[in-house]
Amino acid sequence: MIDVRRKSDRFYAESDWLQSRFSFSFGPYNDPNNTGFGPMRVLNDDSIAPKRGFGAHPHSDMEVVSIVLTGSLRHQDNLGNVGVTSWGQIQRMTAGNGIIHTEYSDSDSETLNLLQMWFVPDQAGLEPSYEISAFDVDALGQAWVPVVSKTGAAGVAKIHQDMTIYLTELAAGEARDYDALPGRRTFVFMIHGSASLNGEIQLDERDEARIEDVTDLSFRAVQPARIMLIDLP
Amino acid sequence: MQERLRIHHGIGSRVLLDSARDGVSYEWSPDGSGHVFHVHIEPGPILDEILRLRRELNVFLFRDDENGATIEKQWFYTGDREPWYDSDTGTLTLVSSRTLTYHPGDFES
């Protein structure tokens, strides 16, 4: 089954400094029929005004992954971590048994656009931790590049869940296949551009697809495309 | 300084209970290396939602100054043991194994 959710289908929230689209129930958006996809619990597409952001707040028992698309994200927490993340980097925070942090746009002029995702960890009560990893942006045009995985590696952030986040980029007309393992879920998010999926579905910018029981996936770019694909239990 | 108990949904911080707003009484005390809360609440939609989301709660004590501004927040981790409700006594019990205290403006240097 391929469940396509268009950008316009997602819940939209805005304030004077924040514009956000929620893929799953979050805050004021409370749909008991849309609370997650496997261990994936949150995907917020946030645009944050320069120097604005989220003041001190707690998290627990959640793996929080942030991918910055434009601008830069400044993080500080009660563990003493301070980090600034931009495109080409991944921020991973293990909330575990409790962490307090802030998240702000670090730019004086540029809007911060980030994808923030929360995943239920495979174990509760973990020791809180924080990591910034850097992936090879130039490699995105060649393959599905893992940027987050359970095992971690050089350039791959380590997450406490049996899952992998991949990024790739396609030139117009270029194709790339992905073979999912049987029994796994696949979540696809069209970050930029557009592409056809298995020749039958077109995913445009910020559309998503939640895929189960389909293992052979073939993408062909209609326009230059940047795609995030997540392999999930 | 006024103290109130707040229970938020951990996914997006929706306020499920505010003891001052909702007229709910509570006590809290040390319990081993953690703390225990007894919240006196009648059955109803507030309780239903807390119990439905019992694995995803953020439990706080907010401390406010005389003007109502929150000057300190104490957060309690409840992930080790799910909250439960005793309908005979009308008491919701929450057990916390860890707490963190912070203030507006922390971690913003």
Side-chain angles (χ1 to χ4, degrees), chain A residues 49-52 71-72 105-112:
Chain A
K51 292 299 180 188
R52 302 295 297 272
S72 53
S105 169
D106 197 48
S107 170
D108 290 324
S109 57
E110 190 176 12
T111 296
L112 165 63

Side-chain angles (χ1 to χ4, degrees), chain A residues 26-27 30 41 56 58 61-62 74 76 78 97-98 100 102 104 118 125, chain B residues 10-12 14 49 52 56 58 60 75 77 98 100 102 106-109:
Chain A
F26 189 91
N30 182 23
R41 199 64 182 77
D61 289 333
M62 206 61 76
R74 180 179 178 83
Q76 282 189 252
N78 66 304
N97 63 12
I100 311 290
T102 57
Y104 281 90
W118 300 9
Chain B
I11 312 290
R14 181 163 55 96
E49 195 70 342
R52 184 175 76 84
E56 297 178 341
N58 273 331
F60 297 92
W75 172 83
Y77 177 66
R98 186 166 187 253
L100 295 168
Y102 62 101
D106 279 355
F107 319 119
E108 294 185 6
S109 62

Side-chain angles (χ1 to χ4, degrees), chain A residues 2-78:
Chain A
I2 300 179
D3 177 12
V4 174
R5 309 278 178 124
R6 302 293 177 191
K7 173 184 177 180
S8 57
D9 294 338
R10 295 207 298 281
F11 186 88
Y12 179 70
E14 68 175 352
S15 67
D16 61 334
W17 59 272
L18 173 66
Q19 298 173 311
S20 191
R21 289 189 186 275
F22 304 149
S23 290
F24 304 103
S25 291
F26 189 91
Y29 170 47
N30 182 23
D31 178 355
N33 296 314
N34 186 30
T35 59
F37 186 59
M40 187 173 187
R41 199 64 182 77
V42 170
L43 167 53
N44 291 352
D45 181 359
D46 290 336
S47 291
I48 300 173
K51 292 299 180 188
R52 302 295 297 272
F54 302 97
H57 61 280
H59 292 280
S60 60
D61 289 333
M62 206 61 76
E63 301 287 295
V64 180
V65 175
S66 299
I67 301 179
V68 174
L69 302 176
T70 63
S72 53
L73 169 66
R74 180 179 178 83
H75 159 106
Q76 282 189 252
D77 64 42
N78 66 304

Side-chain angles (χ1 to χ4, degrees), chain A residues 173-195:
Chain A
E174 187 179 7
R176 184 151 295 133
D177 295 340
Y178 177 81
D179 297 325
L181 291 173
R184 302 285 291 181
R185 296 178 174 89
T186 307
F187 183 92
V188 174
F189 190 82
M190 187 64 55
I191 297 175
H192 294 307
S194 64

